[in-house]
Amino acid sequence: MDALFDRHQPTLAAALKAVRERGYWSAYPEIPSGKIYGETAKDDGLASYSARLGKPFALPGHPGTAHIGAEVSPFGPALGITYPAADVDTLIAASQAAGSAWAEASAEMRVGICIEVLARLNRMSFEIANAVMHTTGQAFAMAFQAGGPHAQDRGLEAVAYAYAEMTRTPAQAIWTKPQGKGEPIVLEKQWRIVPRGISLVIGCQTFPTWNSYPGLFASLATGNTIIVKPHPAAILPLAITVSVIRDVLAEQGFDPNVVLLAADAPAAEVTVDLVKNRAVSIIDYTGSNAFGDWVRRNAGEAQVYTEEAGVNSIVVAATDDFAGMCANIAFSLSLYSGQMCTAPQNIFVPRSGIETDQGHKSFDDVAGGIAAAIDELLADPARAAGVCGAIANPATVARIEAARGLGRVIRDSAPVTVGDVRTATPLIIAVDDDKTDAHEEERFGPIAFIVAVADAGAGIEKAASLARRKGAITAALYDNDEHRIDAAVDASAKAGVNLSINLTGGIFINQSAAFSDFHVTGANPAGNASLTDAAFVANRFRTVMWRRPKAA
Amino acid sequence: MDALFDRHQPTLAAALKAVRERGYWSAYPEIPSGKIYGETAKDDGLASYSARLGKPFALPGHPGTAHIGAEVSPFGPALGITYPAADVDTLIAASQAAGSAWAEASAEMRVGICIEVLARLNRMSFEIANAVMHTTGQAFAMAFQAGGPHAQDRGLEAVAYAYAEMTRTPAQAIWTKPQGKGEPIVLEKQWRIVPRGISLVIGCQTFPTWNSYPGLFASLATGNTIIVKPHPAAILPLAITVSVIRDVLAEQGFDPNVVLLAADAPAAEVTVDLVKNRAVSIIDYTGSNAFGDWVRRNAGEAQVYTEEAGVNSIVVAATDDFAGMCANIAFSLSLYSGQMCTAPQNIFVPRSGIETDQGHKSFDDVAGGIAAAIDELLADPARAAGVCGAIANPATVARIEAARGLGRVIRDSAPVTVGDVRTATPLIIAVDDDKTDAHEEERFGPIAFIVAVADAGAGIEKAASLARRKGAITAALYDNDEHRIDAAVDASAKAGVNLSINLTGGIFINQSAAFSDFHVTGANPAGNASLTDAAFVANRFRTVMWRRPKAA
């Protein structure tokens, strides 16, 4: 019965060790190499992806009366894939019907199935990379990493936490209460994991797998049934995921409707009806603060876990590596055209400039240095396309237009022309914190502000205040004054934002590594949950006991 | 700095072991014996209690412009104690002002302080027993156990879970990511526990300490500041608790306002204003479903943990010990006049009766057997008073009056006349499940229904259905058919209610033992949280990181 658990037990054990120690560890290789994934893996993945285009997506046994789907690749072509679509009541009924047997399965059975699914998804990483690329606009290399192995690592991390929580209370115990000189009272007790019920996973367009896997696998491992509601522009990566889970479920004798896809069309989304449905017990949401707020207020008794958005800040106080700093910031601003919840938006710089290894740099020197580093990074169009990817949503292009007037343009956004792809390099605007608060609004996409402040301390204070008020998922500081670094550490902690200090090499503020970095703290308006901690998992099930006198 | 932690480390270690193994364990002796607590402890406790009567309660440094308090012992006299009372804004400001230093204290420091507080409270158990007795109406022995050692055990259990959660992620790690043939990327990472902020503990009248300690100590250990809002009729036990915590905090150099008392008067309660205050981040609530529903809907972004109420059921299907069963049920119905969230209300019995060690017993035989067992238990007035205690709230007396007409009276409630104490023995009413649903409404107090059902299976189904719809905290079954027992175990698990099977000796459905029994499952309308599991604690703080390249 637990053959899958036995097979994947070493992976689980390593994941459990990793989350306890939080050093570097990864279960799924991030390098899209033929040596790792097989020499034909890249071609095979593309072929598998291409074979899905222009036809209905097969999900055997999935409820659905309509076939819908209108995905268009940010790199150009329409995908032409349709997905089975059922009304909300049908999905809920199918999910409930599949629930009992899944709830009664052992923790080991469910965890074994989850890790088997992740192993299969890992082998499909090239196909998933294409699916992610052509729904999110991520360049291929990023789509592979973030959409494939990194997402799988995040899923495994959630499964590991789920297993740890489910096995924390023993399945049984003997309770022997002394009664002075009399015979003790002896009770036999047994505890059982009882899942909450239906878990709704609401995906986003930009990271359909990375942001959905933690909630999906945490709920699945703990015995809940799942309804996956993808963003209508990024259905395919989650449809493939659902398909793999359903395959493994069916092979193991479970109703595949334990996991369902709630595909919908852009103007006819079913999210509101799903959130309001009182049969839904858990909601994982990734998306805007405005809709996140609506979800939190309308979820009734359902547990809600959100990753929303924030305004991320970098404070530049001083550096021993001016070139490295500028290059590092340039990459963070350019990567996937800033369409990341972890991308920095505001760079606070003292009006009087900073001290560096290259001597004093004025405010304009710092702004110019970052702009020049972006120019250098993106000088080659092919490389630029590989870093920036494509703009996923036309609203982002409009947002760039609107932002140009908000301050002094240090570096204009420019289209990267590779075919007719909508992409854009970073727009960099200088503002003064005393004169505007334009930078305090989240402006998703390749839009950044170099914000003049009185001094480094003021920058730290402003960044923390912004995090507390508007939310922030990441923060960074460049400084060499250890007292000021300590103050920034304190301010960031109080504002509930993770702080990266003096990153100059191949690691960036945007990056959050599974098994080590918690993503989002849940301690400011950028989200109420953290990927993945115990709190993210422990309340997805309940523990119920029976007890009886033990026969002598 | 961590002297208290070192002193209490053995207690913590034993508590952590106990919650993992869930056999019998207790840190604080439940027997009110001079041999354990000191030969003069009983007299000293009464003297300490008596010395508090008729005067202002001293809480040095506690904000307050008014002195309020109108507690009247259910056993007769007014307590005449007044407490410092401040408006909500003043309390919030004082709580916030005390927050930073407490948040920055180490987990060990906070846990050491919590266990020192519990140790001191334990030594004051006789005084607290008097305070609990004269606010709740519990008889002395129960007030000692439930209000003293058992509550302290529940507090320690919460502290143990808090410590486990806070130390789950290491304080620091080195993250070394290989870079093929190049030098690895090496980051130093540090994590910090960040509490949510202000934690509001809303107490109830009947178990002011037992139900408040888990939330109070879980929040305190994890670094939050606390505002304790007692029921206006049961302030003293929590005022003593707050006083002890403030003493230890002050001794350890912390602002005692880390823990505040929000005393109020019956017609001028401040609960609504506290719940609505957006500075409150955590709410622990014990009380009615109606107000619990309001709290959950009006708490905004605050984490809410509730123990509300339910309708608890016993199913009598068969027994090998008819006399033991009747005596056990009789005690459960009589204890503290049924003023317990764990007391059974409905006893489902097959219309055609049951098989027992005394041969077949008709429905009326079973009802009569339970009634006779109550009569026997309460025959001696002094013993009756010791079991039943006093009625805490006149509404309960009115409820008994109103219930008499709901069915056939099998045993009438009678006053136990010890002085002019308001107390009442159980009212037992027979109804038929096919003809009424009067028993489906919660009727708090000494009111029980013997409910005729088609057969045992129907009883199990009815009990589970009631638990799902109205909530239930406890359930019991008497049966000797193992298949039917299995079915009841399944039904109870699905209804999210803990099941006690065939209790006939000195353990009762009402009893929930710290370190072994989870109290409330959080899986039905009787409450959304469980005392104490990881989910009860893990979300009371967040984890925030900083990372930086490690110097070579």
Side-chain angles (χ1 to χ4, degrees):
Chain A
M1 274 290 281
D2 292 344
L4 290 179
F5 183 81
D6 292 342
R7 185 188 307 166
H8 296 296
Q9 206 279 331
T11 303
L12 176 65
L16 285 165
K17 181 167 180 285
V19 297
R20 277 195 306 271
E21 299 180 349
R22 304 203 86 81
Y24 172 79
W25 187 72
S26 169
Y28 308 110
E30 69 177 6
I31 302 169
S33 154
K35 287 182 189 154
I36 297 166
Y37 285 93
E39 292 305 335
T40 63
K42 186 169 186 180
D43 293 343
D44 295 347
L46 179 59
S48 297
Y49 165 74
S50 300
R52 296 197 189 268
L53 301 175
K55 59 173 77 105
F57 190 97
L59 282 173
H62 194 288
T65 46
H67 278 269
I68 62 172
E71 293 159 295
V72 177
S73 170
F75 294 97
L79 272 57
I81 308 175
T82 60
Y83 304 88
D87 60 63
V88 165
D89 288 345
T90 302
L91 291 171
I92 295 287
S95 195
Q96 286 176 323
S100 280
W102 187 241
E104 284 164 19
S106 70
E108 286 72 22
M109 168 63 87
R110 292 194 300 250
V111 163
I113 286 175
C114 286
I115 306 182
E116 172 66 16
V117 167
L118 289 163
R120 292 194 195 182
L121 289 170
N122 181 246
R123 291 196 290 274
M124 298 167 72
S125 290
F126 280 95
E127 178 183 354
I128 290 169
N130 282 283
V132 168
M133 176 179 176
H134 288 292
T135 49
T136 67
Q138 292 174 22
F140 181 82
M142 180 173 177
F144 181 91
Q145 291 197 343
H150 291 178
Q152 294 147 18
D153 272 338
R154 282 285 177 197
L156 179 61
E157 180 183 54
V159 172
Y161 270 97
Y163 184 74
E165 287 311 311
M166 288 191 289
T167 54
R168 194 158 168 164
T169 297
Q172 55 197 44
I174 302 297
W175 185 83
T176 305
K177 182 175 182 179
Q179 299 293 300
K181 290 170 186 162
E183 285 297 303
I185 297 171
V186 184
L187 295 181
E188 179 186 0
K189 301 185 178 189
Q190 290 204 9
W191 291 270
R192 185 184 290 203
I193 301 298
V194 178
R196 287 203 172 267
I198 298 176
S199 183
L200 171 65
V201 178
I202 304 171
C204 66
Q205 183 182 0
T206 46
F207 290 90
T209 57
W210 198 96
N211 276 105
S212 297
Y213 281 8
L216 197 174
F217 283 98
S219 278
L220 190 62
T222 51
N224 302 280
T225 57
I226 318 283
I227 298 176
V228 177
K229 187 1 224 139
H231 189 285
I235 301 173
L236 183 58
L238 286 171
I240 294 172
T241 304
V242 167
S243 167
V244 171
I245 302 175
R246 291 171 61 89
D247 284 351
V248 179
L249 285 167
E251 288 167 21
Q252 296 295 316
F254 292 96
D255 182 344
N257 289 340
V258 164
V259 178
L260 293 168
L261 186 72
D264 58 13
E269 300 192 27
V270 297
T271 323
V272 164
D273 291 336
L274 283 166
V275 170
K276 284 185 166 174
N277 194 299
R278 286 300 163 255
V280 170
S281 303
I282 301 172
I283 300 172
D284 287 276
Y285 166 78
T286 309
S288 71
N289 302 68
F291 192 64
D293 187 52
W294 184 90
V295 170
R296 282 184 272 105
R297 283 187 292 104
N298 288 273
E301 296 299 308
Q303 303 279 323
V304 179
Y305 304 89
T306 73
E307 190 217 306
E308 305 177 42
V311 184
N312 303 320
S313 300
I314 297 176
V315 176
V316 173
T319 180
D320 295 330
D321 181 2
F322 185 70
M325 176 185 84
C326 290
N328 192 279
I329 293 174
F331 187 81
S332 290
L333 295 173
S334 304
L335 183 64
Y336 187 24
S337 293
Q339 300 169 101
M340 301 177 71
C341 58
T342 52
Q345 172 175 309
N346 293 335
I347 301 161
F348 292 96
V349 179
R351 269 181 214 106
S352 58
I354 62 167
E355 299 311 312
T356 81
D357 58 319
Q358 300 179 12
H360 182 82
K361 295 283 185 182
S362 71
F363 177 88
D364 278 355
D365 291 340
V366 174
I370 293 168
I374 295 170
D375 290 342
E376 190 184 334
L377 174 69
L378 305 179
D380 173 55
R383 186 176 180 201
V387 171
C388 296
I391 298 292
N393 193 318
T396 301
V397 178
R399 213 176 288 121
I400 300 168
E401 291 302 323
R404 278 199 181 90
L406 296 173
R408 179 161 56 98
V409 173
I410 298 288
R411 182 190 183 281
D412 202 357
S413 174
V416 176
T417 44
V418 177
D420 56 357
V421 171
R422 293 174 300 182
T423 194
T425 66
L427 169 69
I428 308 291
I429 294 170
V431 295
D432 191 302
D433 189 67
D434 279 358
K435 293 174 186 157
T436 180
D437 57 4
H439 54 288
E440 295 208 343
E441 189 183 314
E442 190 215 2
R443 296 175 196 276
F444 190 74
I447 301 161
F449 297 87
I450 316 283
V451 185
V453 285
D455 53 30
I460 290 167
E461 206 172 279
K462 293 282 179 186
S465 160
L466 202 45
R468 275 196 304 273
R469 288 179 288 122
K470 303 289 182 81
I473 296 179
T474 58
L477 170 71
Y478 290 90
D479 204 351
N480 49 26
D481 177 327
E482 291 299 329
H483 290 294
R484 212 159 44 193
I485 290 175
D486 286 348
V489 164
D490 282 348
S492 296
K494 283 180 184 166
V497 57
N498 295 319
L499 179 69
S500 295
I501 302 162
N502 293 337
L503 300 186
T504 53
I507 189 85
F508 305 96
I509 179 178
N510 323 37
Q511 293 175 324
S512 169
F515 306 107
S516 182
D517 297 325
F518 294 106
H519 176 68
V520 187
T521 66
N524 69 45
N528 73 4
S530 190
L531 305 179
T532 292
D533 62 9
F536 187 70
V537 171
N539 220 348
R540 291 176 193 258
F541 65 89
R542 306 276 69 213
T543 304
V544 184
M545 174 189 69
W546 63 254
R547 61 181 185 181
R548 64 192 289 184
K550 183 157 171 59
Chain B
M1 272 292 278
D2 292 344
L4 290 178
F5 183 81
D6 292 343
R7 185 189 307 168
H8 297 296
Q9 206 280 331
T11 303
L12 176 64
L16 286 164
K17 180 167 180 285
V19 298
R20 277 194 307 271
E21 299 179 349
R22 304 204 85 80
Y24 172 80
W25 187 73
S26 169
Y28 308 109
E30 70 179 4
I31 301 170
S33 154
K35 287 182 189 152
I36 298 166
Y37 285 94
E39 291 305 335
T40 62
K42 187 169 185 180
D43 293 342
D44 294 347
L46 178 59
S48 298
Y49 165 74
S50 300
R52 295 198 189 269
L53 300 176
K55 60 175 75 107
F57 190 98
L59 281 175
H62 193 288
T65 45
H67 278 269
I68 62 172
E71 292 159 296
V72 177
S73 172
F75 294 97
L79 272 56
I81 308 174
T82 59
Y83 305 88
D87 61 63
V88 166
D89 288 346
T90 303
L91 291 171
I92 296 285
S95 195
Q96 286 177 323
S100 280
W102 188 240
E104 284 163 19
S106 70
E108 286 70 23
M109 168 62 89
R110 292 193 301 251
V111 164
I113 285 175
C114 285
I115 306 183
E116 172 66 17
V117 167
L118 289 164
R120 292 194 195 181
L121 288 171
N122 180 245
R123 290 197 290 273
M124 296 167 75
S125 291
F126 279 96
E127 178 183 355
I128 290 170
N130 282 283
V132 169
M133 176 179 174
H134 288 291
T135 49
T136 67
Q138 291 174 24
F140 181 82
M142 180 173 178
F144 181 90
Q145 291 199 342
H150 290 179
Q152 294 147 17
D153 273 337
R154 283 286 177 197
L156 179 62
E157 181 184 53
V159 172
Y161 270 97
Y163 184 73
E165 288 310 310
M166 288 191 288
T167 53
R168 195 158 168 164
T169 297
Q172 54 196 42
I174 302 298
W175 185 84
T176 305
K177 183 176 182 180
Q179 299 292 300
K181 290 170 186 163
E183 286 296 304
I185 297 172
V186 184
L187 295 181
E188 177 185 2
K189 301 186 178 189
Q190 290 203 9
W191 291 270
R192 184 184 291 204
I193 301 298
V194 178
R196 288 203 172 267
I198 298 176
S199 183
L200 171 65
V201 178
I202 304 171
C204 66
Q205 183 182 0
T206 46
F207 289 91
T209 56
W210 197 97
N211 276 105
S212 298
Y213 281 7
L216 197 173
F217 283 97
S219 279
L220 190 62
T222 51
N224 302 281
T225 57
I226 317 284
I227 298 176
V228 177
K229 176 22 212 125
H231 189 285
I235 301 173
L236 182 59
L238 286 171
I240 294 171
T241 305
V242 167
S243 166
V244 172
I245 302 174
R246 290 171 62 89
D247 284 351
V248 179
L249 285 167
E251 289 167 22
Q252 296 295 316
F254 292 97
D255 183 343
N257 289 341
V258 164
V259 179
L260 293 167
L261 186 71
D264 58 12
E269 301 191 26
V270 297
T271 323
V272 164
D273 291 336
L274 284 166
V275 169
K276 283 185 166 174
N277 194 298
R278 285 301 163 255
V280 170
S281 303
I282 301 173
I283 299 172
D284 286 276
Y285 166 78
T286 308
S288 72
N289 303 68
F291 193 63
D293 187 52
W294 184 90
V295 170
R296 283 183 272 106
R297 284 188 291 104
N298 288 275
E301 296 299 308
Q303 301 281 324
V304 179
Y305 304 88
T306 73
E307 191 216 306
E308 304 177 42
V311 183
N312 303 320
S313 299
I314 297 176
V315 176
V316 174
T319 180
D320 296 331
D321 181 2
F322 185 71
M325 176 186 84
C326 291
N328 193 279
I329 294 175
F331 187 81
S332 289
L333 294 173
S334 304
L335 184 64
Y336 188 25
S337 294
Q339 299 168 103
M340 301 177 72
C341 57
T342 53
Q345 173 175 309
N346 293 333
I347 301 161
F348 291 98
V349 179
R351 269 181 213 105
S352 58
I354 62 166
E355 300 310 312
T356 80
D357 58 320
Q358 300 180 12
H360 182 81
K361 296 281 185 183
S362 69
F363 177 88
D364 278 355
D365 290 340
V366 175
I370 293 168
I374 295 171
D375 290 341
E376 191 184 332
L377 175 68
L378 306 179
D380 173 56
R383 186 175 182 203
V387 172
C388 296
I391 298 292
N393 193 318
T396 301
V397 178
R399 214 177 287 120
I400 300 169
E401 290 301 322
R404 279 200 181 89
L406 296 173
R408 179 162 57 98
V409 173
I410 298 288
R411 182 189 185 282
D412 202 357
S413 173
V416 175
T417 42
V418 176
D420 56 356
V421 172
R422 291 173 301 183
T423 194
T425 66
L427 169 69
I428 308 290
I429 294 169
V431 296
D432 192 302
D433 189 68
D434 280 358
K435 295 176 185 156
T436 182
D437 57 6
H439 53 289
E440 296 208 343
E441 190 184 314
E442 191 216 3
R443 296 175 195 277
F444 190 74
I447 301 161
F449 297 87
I450 317 282
V451 186
V453 284
D455 54 29
I460 291 166
E461 208 172 277
K462 294 282 179 186
S465 160
L466 202 46
R468 276 196 304 274
R469 289 179 286 124
K470 303 289 182 78
I473 296 178
T474 59
L477 171 71
Y478 290 89
D479 204 350
N480 48 27
D481 177 326
E482 291 299 328
H483 290 293
R484 212 158 45 194
I485 290 174
D486 286 348
V489 164
D490 283 348
S492 294
K494 283 179 182 165
V497 57
N498 295 319
L499 179 69
S500 295
I501 302 163
N502 293 338
L503 300 186
T504 53
I507 189 86
F508 305 95
I509 180 177
N510 324 36
Q511 292 175 324
S512 169
F515 306 106
S516 183
D517 298 324
F518 293 107
H519 176 69
V520 188
T521 66
N524 69 45
N528 73 3
S530 191
L531 306 179
T532 292
D533 61 10
F536 187 72
V537 171
N539 219 348
R540 291 178 192 256
F541 66 89
R542 307 277 67 215
T543 305
V544 184
M545 174 188 69
W546 63 255
R547 61 181 185 181
R548 65 193 288 185
K550 182 157 173 59

